Amino acid sequence: VQLQASGGGMVQAGGSLRLSCADSGRTFSTYAMGWFRQAPGKEREFVAAISWSGGSTNYADSVKGRFTISRNARNTVYLRMNSLKPEDTAVYYCAANRHTSSSSDEEYAYWGQGTLVTVSS
């Protein structure tokens, strides 16, 4: 396993969490990285993505202005989530994409295990 997501938990609406995705194998330094989520009974959906350099980001409309994706020199990718809403409740997954900071999960070949985020009202 090379991608390890962490940082999930339970938070009240309006609160914040920061998710982390560690590249334990130092494999994905030149890959774009993305966050996706899957709520119970729903399909997996795109949340945010960042280019390999960190210079380009992409967000789902539902999280724009509330979530921020970033990555550091050690190739850990973060998802800072502010102003959380109950509808943000889901299992969040990080993934790696060799090419672009795409919003399509079909373009991501490598996936980490999920981390559960629960937002109570």
Side-chain angles (χ1 to χ4, degrees):
V1 175
Q2 294 177 301
L3 292 175
Q4 298 178 325
S6 62
M10 183 176 292
V11 64
Q12 290 188 332
S16 299
L17 282 174
R18 189 182 74 163
L19 306 184
S20 300
C21 178
D23 172 11
S24 60
R26 299 278 182 120
T27 304
F28 302 111
S29 60
T30 59
Y31 283 57
M33 301 293 292
W35 285 97
F36 292 79
R37 66 186 182 187
Q38 187 166 21
K42 295 187 177 181
E43 294 186 352
R44 186 167 58 192
E45 65 174 1
F46 169 74
V47 176
I50 189 167
S51 62
W52 71 269
S53 67
S56 175
T57 57
N58 186 14
Y59 295 94
D61 288 342
S62 59
V63 306
K64 278 182 183 176
R66 299 189 298 122
F67 291 11
T68 303
I69 189 170
S70 61
R71 66 193 301 166
N72 66 10
R74 295 185 180 182
N75 211 40
T76 297
V77 180
Y78 301 99
L79 185 69
R80 176 68 180 182
M81 306 185 294
N82 295 328
S83 302
L84 283 162
K85 304 175 181 179
E87 51 263 44
D88 295 318
T89 295
V91 177
Y92 284 71
Y93 300 89
C94 61
N97 175 351
R98 183 184 291 273
H99 301 295
T100 67
S101 51
S102 172
S103 61
S104 171
D105 60 357
E106 295 181 349
E107 298 191 29
Y108 290 79
Y110 303 94
W111 292 81
Q113 89 290 359
T115 185
L116 176 63
V117 172
T118 303
V119 184
S120 61
S121 57

